Amino acid sequence: ALKRGAIDFLVKPFENSELVGLIRQVESRRGIRLLSEPIEGFSGMIGGSQPMRRVYSAIERVAKTDATVLVLGESGTGKQLAARAVHSLSARSNGPFHEIQCANLPEHLLESELFGHEKGSFTGAEGQKKGRVELAADGTLFLDEIGEIPLSLQSKLLAFIQERKFHRVGGTKEISVDVRIVAATNKDLLKESRENRFRSDLYYRLESFTIWLPPLRDRREDIPLLTAYFLKTKGQPVNGISTDALEALKAYDWPGNVRELENVVMQAIIESGNEPISIDSLPARFDSSANSDNEPIRTPLSMQDLNLEDNERLLIHTALKRAQGNKTEAARLLGITRRRLYSRMAFLKIEDA
């Protein structure tokens, strides 16, 4: 078995402690980290870092009240999950949770989506329709990207938050509803109000209680937990992740935050097949060698020689020659991953140098 590639063996009967010890040795020897630790989280949110613990504490405190909540954070930090956590831990948890994306609709449709409309109130209004405000009665209404609401509609929203009363578009009947408001934005609403793009009175109504979600770069210790969670939820036959790959994920700044991490893990699962995720399974931006101080090769091109495949073939041949056939070094010179180099060589029918 050892001649065929086995790393080690145990003689039966053996103690469980022997097996655990051997697995730890194998992990260390092969540079593979098996993500089998319990996944720490809170009401659908993943992470055990100190910044996230502060978020969980804030959610627990405000969920016990009926206060309006404003969730702040960069795109992809999980603002919808925070809103759902507030709802699920509140006395309204048995009621409905309705969400509206304030940035996705033109003004007249957004007003109808919020407050509903009466038959014939505008072209295409063929019947009466209840809005999300009404549908969320006795529950929670989540207004995502609230910073995108037009100024003209902000006054109507403010009036509703103050009175919990509204009129459907084209209607005259005043309707009262008991609903909790949770809003979210990645904008600085105070700055927006100072620059007259957001009503200051609406801002102060919304900020009864504020929850700020940290960007992923400020809670890097949660990246292994989040990676394990995404591997598990994708249900793919991936056994683990290499130490190098995990360190690359932890070193990256994540402008797209948790949403970007989820997408990267999905790509890595596809790239790795049944093998543990390696650095070569990750997108090229995670290859530190591509960002080294050594300048990648540059080959001047003439205006008459702009065929893309021919020039790509020339660059790969040049890199392989300079690297003396070492594909890892050639990939570094080209600023791509080794897996990408293999893929392009196969596509362009380039034989090994």
Side-chain angles (χ1 to χ4, degrees), residues 11 39 45 116 145 154 175 188-189 191 225 282 304 306:
V11 178
I39 298 174
M45 305 175 75
E145 298 185 69
Q154 289 177 24
I175 302 171
D188 182 343
L189 292 186
K191 180 182 177 183
L225 288 174
L282 301 177
Q304 290 77 30
L306 293 178

Side-chain angles (χ1 to χ4, degrees), residues 22 62 72 79-80 86 113 141 151 163 175 191 254 279 281 323 353:
L22 181 56
V62 77
L72 302 176
K79 295 186 289 293
Q80 184 202 58
V86 169
E113 193 70 18
L141 177 65
L151 273 169
E163 305 294 333
I175 302 171
K191 180 182 177 183
W254 299 105
I279 193 75
S281 308

Side-chain angles (χ1 to χ4, degrees), residues 59-78:
I59 290 173
E60 280 187 316
R61 292 197 306 274
V62 77
K64 298 173 184 177
T65 73
D66 243 356
T68 298
V69 179
L70 180 62
V71 184
L72 302 176
E74 296 178 6
S75 178
T77 50

Side-chain angles (χ1 to χ4, degrees), residues 111 114-116 132-134 137 141 153-169 171-181 205:
E111 183 178 4
L114 273 170
F115 301 116
R132 299 297 179 92
V133 163
E134 202 170 346
L141 177 65
L153 188 53
Q154 289 177 24
S155 58
K156 295 181 180 180
L157 180 60
L158 173 64
F160 168 70
I161 293 174
Q162 289 174 329
E163 305 294 333
R164 294 299 196 269
K165 297 177 181 179
F166 67 98
H167 295 86
R168 296 192 190 107
V169 176
T172 57
K173 179 183 176 183
E174 186 176 70
I175 302 171
S176 298
V177 65
D178 176 21
V179 64
R180 181 186 203 150
I181 303 293
R205 278 286 176 181

Side-chain angles (χ1 to χ4, degrees), residues 269-280:
I269 289 171
I270 295 170
E271 284 287 337
S272 62
N274 292 329
E275 296 298 317
I277 292 174
S278 68
I279 193 75
D280 289 337

